[in-house]
Amino acid sequence: MNGPLGNQRPDFAVIAEWIPQRARVLDLGCGDGTLLKYLQQTRGVTGYGIEIDDGNVLECVKNGVHVIQSNLERGLADFDNGSFDFVVLSQTLQAMRNTEHIVREMLRVGRSGIVTFPNFGYWKNRLNVLRGHMPVSENLPFEWFDTPNIHLCTVADFEKFCGERGIHIVARTLLTNGQPVTSLPNLLGELAVYQFGG
Amino acid sequence: MAADKIQDPSRSVGVVTPQVARFAAPLALRCGASLRDYELVYETYGTLNADRSNAVLVCHALNASHHVAGHYADDPANTGWWDNMIGPGKPLDTRRFFVIGVNNIGGCHGSTGPLSINPDTGRIWGGEFPVVTVEDWVDAQARLADHLGIQQFAAVMGGSLGAMQALAWSARYPQRLRHSIVIACAPNLSAQNIAFNEVARQAIITDPDFNDGNYRALNTAPKRGLRVARMVGHITYLSDDEMANKFGRQLKNGKPGYTFDTEFQIESYLRHQGNKFADYFDANTYLRITKALDYFDPALEHGGDLAKALQSVVAGMLVVSFTTDWRFSPERSREIVHALIKNRAPVTYAEIDAPHGHDAFLLDDARYHRLVAAYFERVHGEIAK
């Protein structure tokens, strides 16, 4: 999982493996455009990133990524139904105010959605809570009082959420220290990467 | 709106000289009339490279001209209107790009317009000069590109009405530009925008010195009307907050005088701007430029479908808006972005959080300038390949 992406964002490497050549990709909360730049260079993908932060928008321009400065909470009204093969939301789902709305929007605009989020069910997080404290780690770097993460969930929670809404999970990878986890994902997986369809 | 501040000479293009291009072939205008022959006044900065791929056309807005950057040898205080954007080491770097500024047809800074002689009558055109449109300007600019031997611009760039030209370029001559930089733009004017323009025009037309636009022949000028027109315009260029910050309710003499003299600082500012403008700008040009704004509506011929109107676009598009711009609000820029996304066009959109209103596109804002600089870095990378 190491390489141009693996070191900084292990979930990017998983996402990149799922995306075929020349796919149309919309990256929600694309940050500095690292993922899209990588996908453009290695897969010849086309598409856009959406980002709200000025500094990240500037970095996207420097990275040659087509970025649209916008607040995701506004929804994806700028995008037509089914206009992308993949809509990616990496490590942002847990910070969205209206979780269900954005997931539905992803499936309206794209044929498949990909989300990544920190698994709150990871044993170290459970241990922290057992010890009486909210977890603070590399994947959950914020203290409880200044965290943007208002909708943290576990792997089991997310799958229940999808199941209840008829959202079909196509693929799942759990990562811990950048390496895939093969057993007990909700306990041993630190970072969840899901691909789903309508 | 001119940048009158002292400039760092090492980052200025320095002394510049306007040039004139004459065109003998007639230019057909949208209104049905045609100009038998015409002249365009322009300036250039930087050097055109060997394969002629580094040219950037800068289109001007309402009151500006071909004098985009640098200053004149005999008038060192007359700095170009976008000098903070264009020059060595500036966002549009003249060490890399060959930059062209041109005064549009119908203008009053030297290109063929109401102040020129009508070849059919031998008299000054005045009120007889035809109504011109954004598309007419773009067509004339394309002929200037031919004249300069430029087949494809690295970019066409503009703010406000200048941005409308950059947008029109991308749809009208898609193969002739690599990038289009569309700043503080709108896909057409709102009823409120047209209303402000109409107030400005009525101020001019009802001035007793207007004489159907033929005031030059009588050695007069509708300066009172032009002053009011400019005052109205200035109100729309600034945000409410910016006006409050700059002027608030300050009184020139500290206390009310209960007269109709200029008392509030904002009154003094508007009158100053109005007077300055009426002294150098031509009323007939002002009328025509506001009409060009009103008529601009590329979607109209496509049943109101902007995406269809922009279907031909292949250039990379950079669209920039400013949060406090209420004349051409970010929502209007997002309409353009939406249409381009629908067409799967390569578009980048930035919304700059700036307090200055519509005028922000002319001001030196670090975030804005960094973004434009980064975009031109990309353009340069492409043409250097």
Side-chain angles (χ1 to χ4, degrees):
Chain A
M1 287 291 162
N2 287 332
L5 288 168
N7 298 333
Q8 33 179 343
R9 284 286 298 269
D11 51 337
F12 284 176
V14 175
I15 297 170
E17 295 212 342
W18 287 346
I19 293 183
Q21 291 286 329
R22 281 181 289 283
R24 280 192 53 77
V25 178
L26 179 64
D27 187 359
L28 308 179
C30 65
D32 63 6
T34 299
L35 176 64
L36 271 177
K37 181 185 181 185
Y38 177 76
L39 293 173
Q40 283 171 7
Q41 288 172 349
T42 61
R43 305 279 193 280
V45 306
T46 53
Y48 307 97
I50 298 186
E51 178 55 46
I52 191 167
D53 177 74
D54 291 332
N56 277 335
V57 168
L58 179 65
E59 291 307 312
C60 284
V61 171
K62 289 182 181 170
N63 277 324
V65 164
H66 298 125
V67 63
I68 309 296
Q69 189 163 27
S70 183
N71 185 348
L72 284 181
E73 300 286 1
R74 294 162 53 114
L76 304 177
D78 279 331
F79 302 93
D80 287 344
N81 294 354
S83 52
F84 294 91
D85 298 314
F86 291 91
V87 182
V88 178
L89 183 67
S90 57
Q91 303 213 22
T92 306
L93 185 73
Q94 74 279 0
M96 294 296 296
R97 197 170 305 161
N98 195 337
T99 314
E100 182 164 1
H101 178 67
I102 194 68
V103 171
R104 295 238 179 260
E105 280 285 87
M106 287 172 76
L107 286 177
R108 177 184 67 78
V109 164
R111 293 195 292 125
S112 294
I114 294 174
V115 295
T116 79
F117 58 86
N119 173 27
F120 204 78
Y122 179 52
W123 68 270
K124 283 188 182 172
N125 297 337
R126 298 191 196 197
L127 193 62
N128 272 299
V129 175
L130 264 180
R131 284 175 174 159
H133 289 285
M134 288 297 283
V136 177
S137 65
E138 201 180 322
N139 272 308
L140 290 168
F142 303 98
E143 294 282 356
W144 66 272
F145 50 84
D146 68 352
T147 181
N149 298 331
I150 53 175
H151 284 142
L152 288 164
C153 70
T154 69
V155 159
D157 290 332
F158 183 73
E159 293 186 6
K160 180 166 174 277
F161 169 90
C162 291
E164 286 168 359
R165 284 158 186 80
I167 295 167
H168 171 61
I169 292 170
V170 178
R172 176 186 77 183
T173 297
L174 268 294
L175 297 169
T176 300
N177 298 323
Q179 298 302 317
V181 170
T182 47
S183 57
L184 298 173
N186 196 27
L187 192 63
L188 301 181
E190 192 174 13
L191 185 59
V193 190
Y194 279 90
Q195 183 183 340
F196 53 89
Chain B
M1 280 199 265
D4 334 283
K5 57 184 165 189
I6 310 282
Q7 44 177 348
D8 170 3
S10 69
R11 300 188 73 214
S12 167
V13 298
V15 172
V16 297
T17 312
Q19 301 170 70
V20 183
R22 290 181 184 81
F23 299 87
L27 182 71
L29 305 174
R30 277 224 158 178
C31 66
S34 93
L35 292 175
R36 203 163 71 186
D37 48 46
Y38 57 98
E39 293 181 352
L40 291 174
V41 175
Y42 66 99
E43 288 178 10
T44 69
Y45 325 111
T47 311
L48 187 61
N49 62 10
D51 57 1
R52 297 170 178 264
S53 62
N54 69 335
V56 176
L57 176 68
V58 177
C59 305
H60 71 74
L62 220 167
N63 65 312
S65 69
H66 54 281
H67 186 36
V68 180
H71 57 269
Y72 297 132
D74 59 354
D75 188 4
N78 187 354
T79 307
W81 58 271
W82 220 352
D83 196 77
N84 61 21
M85 182 66 85
I86 294 147
K90 289 180 181 169
L92 176 45
D93 194 333
T94 49
R95 294 171 305 189
R96 288 173 161 180
F97 291 100
F98 177 66
V99 180
I100 303 160
V102 56
N103 185 215
N104 284 323
I105 291 289
C108 56
H109 291 96
S111 291
T112 298
L115 298 175
S116 312
I117 303 290
N118 177 352
D120 291 333
T121 64
R123 293 193 305 271
I124 287 178
W125 275 101
E128 308 293 313
F129 195 84
V131 169
V132 285
T133 64
V134 167
E135 288 77 9
D136 298 333
W137 290 338
V138 167
D139 289 349
Q141 290 160 4
R143 299 237 186 123
L144 180 65
D146 297 340
H147 172 81
L148 297 172
I150 295 158
Q151 183 49 41
Q152 185 186 52
F153 286 109
V156 178
M157 175 187 195
S160 188
L161 177 57
M164 289 174 168
Q165 293 159 59
L167 185 64
W169 257 100
S170 65
R172 207 166 167 80
Y173 296 101
Q175 304 298 336
R176 297 201 67 177
L177 68 167
R178 279 179 166 274
H179 291 271
S180 177
I181 300 179
V182 173
I183 303 169
C185 192
N188 58 24
L189 260 57
S190 66
Q192 188 192 44
N193 290 153
I194 295 171
F196 281 118
N197 281 346
E198 177 57 5
V199 172
R201 283 191 294 267
Q202 283 302 312
I204 292 167
I205 290 168
T206 59
D207 184 319
D209 287 329
F210 181 63
N211 295 304
D212 291 330
N214 300 313
Y215 42 85
R216 281 272 163 157
L218 302 165
N219 258 326
T220 60
K223 286 197 174 186
R224 284 164 294 183
L226 202 48
R227 240 175 250 145
V228 174
R230 185 61 173 164
M231 287 166 80
V232 172
H234 257 280
I235 298 169
T236 70
Y237 303 146
L238 298 178
S239 68
D240 192 15
D241 284 349
E242 180 70 359
M243 245 191 219
N245 278 340
K246 260 187 165 163
F247 310 105
R249 294 185 48 82
Q250 283 169 52
L251 291 158
K252 272 171 70 181
N253 300 321
K255 55 178 199 269
Y258 303 103
T259 68
F260 294 98
D261 293 338
T262 50
E263 290 198 73
F264 289 97
Q265 289 291 4
I266 181 64
E267 295 175 316
S268 168
Y269 170 79
L270 288 178
R271 287 198 198 187
H272 169 72
Q273 293 295 340
N275 287 336
K276 203 168 73 170
F277 189 66
D279 281 341
Y280 80 85
F281 210 80
D282 179 58
N284 281 318
T285 289
Y286 199 83
L287 292 177
R288 277 152 189 80
I289 293 185
T290 58
K291 270 290 177 188
L293 272 162
D294 291 2
Y295 287 130
F296 182 69
D297 188 5
L300 186 67
E301 290 167 26
H302 302 270
D305 187 339
L306 186 62
K308 266 192 191 155
L310 300 179
Q311 206 137 43
S312 56
V313 172
V314 290
M317 306 291 293
L318 173 64
V319 179
V320 181
S321 72
F322 300 94
T323 49
T324 54
D325 182 352
W326 59 276
R327 189 170 166 117
F328 290 169
S329 69
E331 285 71 25
R332 303 311 315 278
S333 283
R334 277 201 292 265
E335 287 176 42
I336 298 168
V337 172
H338 180 74
L340 291 167
I341 288 173
K342 212 177 173 65
N343 293 341
R344 306 188 169 188
V347 53
T348 290
Y349 173 60
E351 205 167 287
I352 308 287
D353 188 8
H356 313 101
H358 189 58
D359 257 359
F361 87 87
L362 291 166
L363 301 176
D364 197 348
D365 177 287
R367 267 170 302 183
Y368 164 45
H369 277 194
R370 270 200 297 268
L371 183 92
V372 175
Y375 199 85
F376 272 114
E377 186 78 30
R378 193 200 277 189
V379 178
H380 179 254
E382 283 175 22
I383 59 174
K385 268 180 196 162

